[in-house]
């Protein structure tokens, strides 16, 4: 059943195992013509001999047809959308970013509240001789320990699912994606842990220790 509800009897001429680049089903243009919403082709793939004359002719062809954009990308076809990315993918990325934002906000609030509740402990350490510099160093080591444990736990929990998905879709154990994504995640997580511990600690150290203990 095609997109407009029309029923057709199609003949399977080939099968493929990796569907990330094409999708689960690929139809011929003749079969899909007249059964789509826009009635237009999303993209046209042209292979030339690579000469300057061929590029000039293709550019002239694109210039004569409004709405037709020329993309000299030899890495392969790309779906339509912003930056060559499908709109559905951008929606998924936006939803995932919102969910991760809420998660990070909850973690940050938890770390801030936990550090703020330790003001009595910090005041007691100052009364027995600990300097503010020593206390800040201790809290920074705790923040480093928290971020290290979080990164290690996330890595252990994600290795098996990512390896299985990559093996199923890409026929290899490592996932696809930009290599800079992992260090960026590590830096963001370490930055959140540092700020949510450092700032409440500095705020608690501004209060005299005797006054902090009397309020507790």
């Amino acid at each position: 059943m095609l997109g407009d509800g029309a029923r057709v009897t199609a003949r399977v001429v080939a099968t493929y195992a990796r569907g990330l680049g094409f999708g689960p089903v690929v139809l011929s243009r003749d079969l899909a013509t007249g059964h789509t919403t826009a009635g237009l082709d999303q993209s046209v793939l042209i292979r030339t001999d690579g000469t300057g004359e061929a590029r000039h002719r293709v550019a002239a062809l694109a210039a004569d047809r409004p709405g037709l954009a020329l993309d000299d990308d030899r890495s392969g076809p790309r779906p339509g959308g912003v930056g060559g990315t499908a709109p559905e993918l951008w929606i998924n990325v936006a939803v995932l970013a919102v969910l991760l934002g809420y998660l990070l906000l909850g973690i940050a609030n938890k770390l801030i509240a936990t550090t703020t509740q330790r003001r009595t402990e910090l005041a007691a350490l100052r009364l027995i001789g600990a300097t503010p510099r020593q206390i800040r160093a201790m809290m920074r080591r705790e923040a480093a320990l928290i971020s290290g444990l979080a990164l290690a736990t996330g890595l252990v929990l994600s290795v098996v699912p990512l390896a299985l998905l990559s093996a199923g879709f890409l026929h290899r154990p490592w996932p696809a994606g930009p290599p800079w994504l992992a260090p960026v995640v590590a830096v963001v997580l370490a930055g959140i842990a540092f700020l949510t511990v450092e700032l409440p600690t500095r705020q608690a150290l501004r209060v005299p220790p005797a006054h902090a203990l009397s309020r507790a």
Side-chain angles (χ1 to χ4, degrees):
M1 181 179 294
L2 300 181
D4 59 351
R7 294 181 178 271
V8 298
T9 301
R11 180 170 61 93
V12 178
V13 297
T15 60
Y16 52 90
R18 296 176 59 181
L20 289 180
F22 298 102
V25 178
V26 176
L27 300 179
S28 66
R29 183 181 184 277
D30 296 335
L31 181 60
T33 299
H35 301 285
T36 59
T37 303
L40 301 175
D41 296 328
Q42 185 178 19
S43 60
V44 179
L45 305 181
I46 302 176
R47 183 173 60 183
T48 66
D49 55 5
T51 61
E53 182 181 358
R55 292 191 183 93
H56 179 72
R57 290 183 178 180
V58 174
L61 177 65
D64 292 339
R65 288 163 174 78
L68 182 60
L70 181 61
D71 184 9
D72 187 10
D73 187 2
R74 301 181 181 182
S75 61
R78 297 184 303 175
V82 181
T85 305
E88 295 82 3
L89 182 58
W90 284 113
I91 294 176
N92 293 336
V93 171
V95 173
L96 182 60
V98 172
L99 293 177
L100 290 177
Y102 276 113
L103 179 61
L104 292 177
L105 182 61
I107 295 174
N109 288 335
K110 179 64 175 178
L111 289 175
I112 292 175
T114 302
T115 306
T116 303
Q117 291 174 357
R118 297 177 61 184
R119 59 180 181 272
T120 304
E121 173 190 346
L122 301 181
L125 290 174
R126 294 174 63 186
L127 288 177
I128 63 177
T131 64
R133 182 177 180 181
Q134 293 173 335
I135 294 177
R136 288 195 299 268
M138 178 192 70
M139 299 302 290
R140 289 168 186 169
R141 291 188 179 92
E142 291 186 6
L145 179 61
I146 292 172
S147 59
L149 290 176
L151 289 173
T153 304
L155 180 62
V156 170
L157 294 178
S158 62
V159 162
V160 175
L162 286 178
L164 293 177
L165 290 175
S166 300
F169 287 105
L170 303 175
H171 296 272
R172 65 188 188 191
W174 60 89
W180 50 262
L181 186 59
V184 167
V185 171
V187 170
V188 170
L189 183 59
I192 291 176
F194 176 81
L195 291 177
T196 53
V197 172
E198 178 74 12
L199 296 180
T201 300
R202 288 181 175 271
Q203 183 67 27
L205 293 177
R206 293 191 181 99
V207 181
H211 182 59
L213 289 176
S214 64
R215 290 192 304 178

